[in-house]
Amino acid sequence: KEVVLLRHRPGILPILSAIKHGKQKAEKIAGDTLPRKGKNNNKISSAARFLYYYLDYMIGQVYVYFRYILRGKIVLYDRYYFDFINDAKRSNIQINRNITKALYRFVMKPKLNIFLYAEAETILARKQELNAEDIIEMSSNYRSLFDELKLKFKKSYYTSIENNILDDTIAAVLREFAKVA
């Protein structure tokens, strides 16, 4: 099947900085900036940013469903909505995790959700976006979230896979895919 790769959200609405800089320049700035380096500490600004991106999910999930899923394509997201629950700071948002987690109930649930994890040292050898302490905390939060969602949303499958050896990781992902295909 044809595969469509999307970043962490549908992307129907442009990133907010595109309003100021234009789409291409904003995407370049976002790509050149390390995650979690935004300086937004304003609760109102954070709420507005989150609502804007949440609107992208509400509109975008319908678009993605009709444009890709109904046509038999496989849609892969990198991070998906889970970043807003566990790492809203990545999107320069300071918002209570319980709010973003509660609003997940209205977001379309992918059939298969996989969290790839590794030891902090392994991740740091691959890229240096975060420090070891943040990596450990984030991995723990994602694994706990997936365990919780697995019990709450029975029509979707949530699993965590250790990502150390590429061939083993690919084999594990394909095994999980076979369970829901």
Side-chain angles (χ1 to χ4, degrees), residues 3-164:
V3 175
V4 177
L5 179 61
L6 301 174
R7 298 301 293 167
H8 71 287
R9 59 187 185 87
I12 299 301
L13 300 178
I15 58 175
L16 283 170
S17 57
I19 296 166
K20 180 178 179 182
H21 301 289
K23 184 178 178 185
Q24 287 182 331
K25 187 174 180 185
E27 288 177 357
K28 180 175 180 359
I29 292 169
D32 292 344
T33 306
L34 285 175
R36 308 179 104 222
K37 298 298 181 194
K39 298 181 182 7
N40 178 22
N41 290 318
N42 184 303
K43 298 287 184 194
I44 294 171
S45 171
S46 287
R49 288 176 73 82
F50 172 72
L51 289 174
Y52 176 83
Y53 290 130
Y54 191 74
L55 180 62
D56 187 44
Y57 278 97
M58 294 297 99
I59 297 168
Q61 66 189 0
V62 174
Y63 174 81
V64 167
Y65 182 76
F66 284 104
R67 172 91 192 256
Y68 304 122
I69 296 171
L70 281 183
R71 294 179 180 178
K73 298 177 183 180
I74 296 173
V75 177
L76 294 179
Y77 277 96
D78 176 14
R79 299 191 313 267
Y80 197 54
Y81 183 84
F82 309 117
D83 256 9
F84 288 114
I85 298 172
N86 280 336
D87 194 17
K89 190 175 180 181
R90 177 181 285 271
S91 297
N92 201 18
I93 296 171
Q94 303 291 328
I95 194 165
N96 185 309
R97 180 180 188 268
N98 291 327
I99 293 170
T100 56
K101 193 160 92 172
L103 289 172
Y104 177 63
R105 77 184 61 183
F106 302 111
V107 175
M108 189 177 289
K109 315 300 179 283
K111 283 186 184 178
L112 177 61
N113 301 276
I114 299 173
F115 171 59
L116 299 178
Y117 69 93
E119 295 295 324
E121 298 78 30
T122 303
I123 293 172
L124 286 169
R126 295 174 183 166
K127 59 183 179 177
Q128 291 78 41
E129 285 185 356
L130 304 173
N131 62 43
E133 183 179 299
D134 287 340
I135 292 169
I136 292 166
E137 178 184 356
M138 299 278 294
S139 293
S140 175
N141 288 346
Y142 273 94
R143 291 179 76 185
S144 294
L145 177 65
F146 271 43
D147 288 345
E148 183 181 333
L149 296 175
K150 183 187 312 182
L151 298 173
K152 191 172 186 176
F153 299 105
K154 302 290 187 186
K155 291 184 179 181
S156 294
Y157 191 73
Y158 299 85
T159 188
S160 299
I161 297 173
E162 192 166 12
N163 181 19
N164 289 321

